[in-house]
Amino acid sequence: MKDFNGKVAFITGGASGAGFGQAQVFGRAGCRIVIADIRQDALDDATSRLRAEGIEVHSVRLDISDRAAYAAAADEVEAVFGGPPQLLFNTAGVNSFGPLENATYEDFDWIFGVNLNGVINGIQTFLPRMIASGRDGHIVTTSSMGGFAGSATAAIYNATKAALINLMESYAITLPKYGIGASVLCPASIRSNIADAQDTRPAHLAANSGFRSDEAFIELQRRLYSGGMDPVELAGHVKRAIENNDLYILPYPETKEAVRAHFEKILDAFAARDSDPEGAQQRAQAFEEYRAEAAKTAGSTK
């Protein structure tokens, strides 16, 4: 996709941070912007700032973990703009830190509910509408460099982000036949307010947590993210990736060697010497035959 003029872009977490940067960059490129966020005060402020730039914008208050609310938001977008978005940015996310062994069900439910289920809800809600429209499109999901490895203190967050990488790799395989691209953005650090994500945690999931949420720790996180990449700069990388139809958006070269070392450990774990090379060859052939047959029949299973 090279021309963004007049296209509708739906951005979750669009009232601040990476989402607001995307709203600015794609709005300046001519997109009609929909920002969705759970915080009405942030939506109001972001809407005013975007309109001051001359950007056409519509705001929707949305809890992305609520499927019924997502469907209503999609209906509202179609009512306002006459059709579904051509650009879907799954940008909203939350985090909480603490030793994994201290995690509660509520910690898992909140982080998975927003970071993974929220993305699933967005794609499941909009993708059928995007396909039915017959127009070109692109879906960008924000994962994290943390999705490439485990973590002692951000384990749940990293697990959700790993799932998103794999999910978008799968969409990149399946969506081109519809004229829809797929990309996964993996930031390392963004100048954002994710340190204050606890403010949006529902009461029934906040009462029992094994992780830290005291003001001193939150302030430490604020200082960490204050040195992150500017959201507008990050959104510029996203725009170029869409123009080039790139799957991976990895604009943090300082993390490359750590990723390389991680995958080298995985490769080193393969047996150095196969005791049954003929059997391995037969298994590989059988698997390739299965993959080819599955690819031919997948379209007829629905």
Side-chain angles (χ1 to χ4, degrees), residues 225-284:
Y225 294 118
S226 67
M229 184 178 292
D230 182 87
V232 169
E233 179 184 352
L234 184 62
H237 290 288
V238 173
K239 182 173 177 289
R240 286 187 289 275
I242 295 175
E243 292 169 338
N244 296 327
N245 198 29
D246 294 332
L247 169 57
Y248 302 105
I249 310 173
L250 307 169
Y252 292 81
E254 66 272 19
T255 65
K256 182 176 180 178
E257 290 309 312
V259 174
R260 188 196 305 277
H262 176 73
F263 281 102
E264 284 179 351
K265 286 182 181 179
I266 295 173
L267 293 173
D268 289 345
F270 284 93
R273 179 181 177 185
D274 196 322
S275 59
D276 182 14
E278 184 176 346
Q281 184 175 3
Q282 291 175 347
R283 292 192 300 271

Side-chain angles (χ1 to χ4, degrees), residues 4 8-14 18-19 22-23 26 31 33-34 36 70 85-92 119 126 138-142 185 235 238-239 242 249:
F4 298 96
V8 177
F10 187 94
I11 307 169
T12 67
Q22 291 165 354
F26 286 89
C31 285
I33 302 296
V34 183
Y70 226 129
Q86 289 170 272
L87 293 162
L88 172 60
F89 296 91
N90 300 300
T91 308
V119 171
F126 278 120
H138 207 101
I139 299 173
V140 179
T141 294
T142 298
L185 169 63
V238 173
K239 182 173 177 289
I242 295 175
I249 310 173

Side-chain angles (χ1 to χ4, degrees), residues 162-234:
L164 294 180
I165 294 171
N166 189 280
L167 186 64
M168 296 312 293
E169 289 173 337
S170 298
Y171 279 119
I173 296 169
T174 58
L175 294 184
K177 62 187 175 185
Y178 301 109
I180 299 173
S183 299
V184 59
L185 169 63
C186 297
S189 179
I190 314 169
R191 204 175 303 160
S192 71
N193 66 347
I194 194 172
D196 300 305
Q198 293 286 345
D199 294 343
T200 66
R201 184 165 176 162
H204 71 286
L205 296 178
N208 183 31
S209 174
F211 294 159
R212 287 189 65 178
S213 60
D214 56 277
E215 184 57 34
F217 188 71
I218 291 173
E219 181 57 32
L220 177 64
Q221 295 302 307
R222 290 186 186 125
R223 291 202 301 271
L224 169 66
Y225 294 118
S226 67
M229 184 178 292
D230 182 87
V232 169
E233 179 184 352
L234 184 62

